[in-house]
Amino acid sequence: MQLLDGKAISAQIKSEIKLEVENWVSTGGKKPHLAAILVGQDGASETYVASKIRSCEEIGFTSTLLRFGAETTEAQLLEAVESLNNNPDVDGFIVQLPLPKHISENTVMEAVDPSKDVDGFHPINVGRMCKGLPAYISATPFGILEMLIRAGIETSGKHCVVIGRSQIVGLPMSILMQRNEYPGNCTVTITHSKTQNLKEICQTADILIVALGRPEFVTADYVKEGAVVIDVGITRVEDATKKSGFAIKGDVNFADVAPKSSFITPVPGGVGLMTICGLLTNTLKAARKEIYK
């Protein structure tokens, strides 16, 4: 078993981006500027956004955080989105999910200028990705692809099973893994809560990507010997032995599955750290006008 170490890989990518930013700025380019909108006080969202801002500082980006209370109306949020759309100094921005229930996430996502949609959630970017055109790839799928590339994992002709069909991870991941390039050329099966014989399907996977949000759901009997296992899940679970009172768990029972795997991601320290790298990469592309000229 080899560990797909998100901490080490993300540090390498950040170092590469930092160097690119330094070169870009030294030749007259503007420092890439990433903005984030945070609505309410969701603990996990606070943590994610703080990590993104720290990463921007590390690699030489400018960052801006716009905070709104949980009582903010959809109209007020859309006004803020439009303001960032029209701000020429902001290269890309994100609206941190989830949003309060009275605000439509789809409405807000569709209001973001596709050229500044560095999360890769806008229908235009999703459509461009599906057609194989230059696009901002959603940050988590981007991070998974980078892990596969940097570990030199063969994907052509392999059976990739994705558990979970979310628009953020499962759906784009299934599309990316079947495209005619590397990583890709897999035969892909996408599974979900209504899939019958899920365990038997997973047992046929050469590459198993798990993104369903159920702590330690996948155990050794779901995995065939030598499979590559990518765990996207990250859930806080109560744990009285921890000072914080909780432990972070993935969707895969790591201790149980690791001995059967050829490669496996840990949680924490795996895909989550790579997600931020995807966001930073997209923001650099936005600053350089690489996708939308």
Side-chain angles (χ1 to χ4, degrees):
M1 184 275 292
Q2 295 187 54
L3 198 66
L4 290 170
D5 187 347
K7 186 174 182 180
I9 299 172
S10 64
Q12 182 182 20
I13 293 172
K14 284 182 185 178
S15 178
E16 293 167 2
I17 295 174
K18 183 178 180 180
L19 182 59
E20 288 189 49
V21 171
E22 289 171 353
N23 292 337
W24 171 251
V25 172
S26 69
T27 56
K30 180 183 73 68
K31 288 176 66 174
H33 185 172
L34 173 66
I37 293 176
L38 182 59
V39 184
Q41 295 181 316
D42 178 78
S45 292
E46 292 273 0
T47 301
Y48 295 152
V49 170
S51 180
K52 290 165 184 173
I53 290 172
R54 280 198 308 273
S55 295
C56 284
E57 293 170 355
E58 289 172 18
I59 64 173
F61 281 16
T62 299
S63 64
T64 299
L65 173 59
L66 302 178
R67 287 181 174 272
F68 294 87
E71 73 286 353
T72 299
T73 67
E74 185 174 292
Q76 289 171 324
L77 184 56
L78 290 172
E79 192 175 301
V81 167
E82 188 61 18
S83 176
L84 291 177
N85 283 341
N86 295 326
N87 185 341
D89 189 58
V90 174
D91 298 300
F93 68 95
I94 64 167
V95 180
Q96 183 65 44
L97 303 179
L99 293 172
K101 295 188 184 301
H102 65 278
I103 298 176
S104 166
E105 291 184 355
N106 282 335
T107 299
V108 173
M109 291 300 104
E110 289 181 28
V112 176
D113 182 337
S115 70
K116 295 190 176 187
D117 167 42
V118 289
D119 254 337
F121 294 162
H122 194 283
I124 287 178
N125 279 314
V126 175
R128 289 175 67 93
M129 179 197 71
C130 290
K131 288 183 67 66
L133 298 172
Y136 300 126
I137 294 174
S138 299
T140 300
F142 171 91
I144 294 170
L145 295 179
E146 280 295 311
M147 282 184 144
L148 296 172
I149 291 168
R150 291 174 188 252
I153 294 171
E154 181 58 64
T155 60
S156 182
K158 304 298 183 181
H159 184 203
C160 175
V161 174
V162 181
I163 307 180
R165 55 183 167 182
S166 76
Q167 295 181 35
I168 295 173
V169 182
L171 179 61
M173 205 68 241
S174 67
I175 294 166
L176 291 164
M177 291 302 286
Q178 57 78 43
R179 61 186 178 167
N180 187 22
E181 58 184 273
Y182 177 73
N185 283 310
C186 288
T187 298
V188 179
T189 302
I190 186 163
T191 66
H192 44 77
S193 59
K194 301 296 188 292
T195 299
Q196 297 182 7
N197 303 320
L198 176 62
K199 185 181 292 186
E200 289 78 6
I201 293 170
C202 290
Q203 289 169 348
T204 68
D206 301 302
I207 301 170
L208 181 63
I209 301 172
V210 191
L212 76 164
R214 293 178 62 180
E216 300 189 325
F217 176 85
V218 171
T219 50
D221 53 342
Y222 278 75
V223 180
K224 80 173 183 180
E225 198 73 37
V228 175
V229 180
I230 308 291
D231 188 353
V232 183
I234 181 164
T235 306
R236 290 185 177 188
V237 177
E238 288 186 13
D239 187 340
T241 67
K242 303 287 186 180
K243 186 176 180 180
S244 62
F246 64 85
I248 301 296
K249 298 289 186 180
D251 290 345
V252 175
N253 185 320
F254 184 89
D256 197 34
V257 172
K260 292 183 74 173
S261 309
S262 57
F263 292 88
I264 188 169
T265 59
V267 176
V271 173
L273 294 170
M274 297 297 299
T275 296
I276 293 175
C277 290
L279 183 65
L280 299 175
T281 298
N282 283 343
T283 302
L284 181 58
K285 289 179 178 178
R288 291 172 164 176
K289 305 290 190 290
E290 291 183 13
I291 307 297
Y292 296 91
K293 307 299 182 185

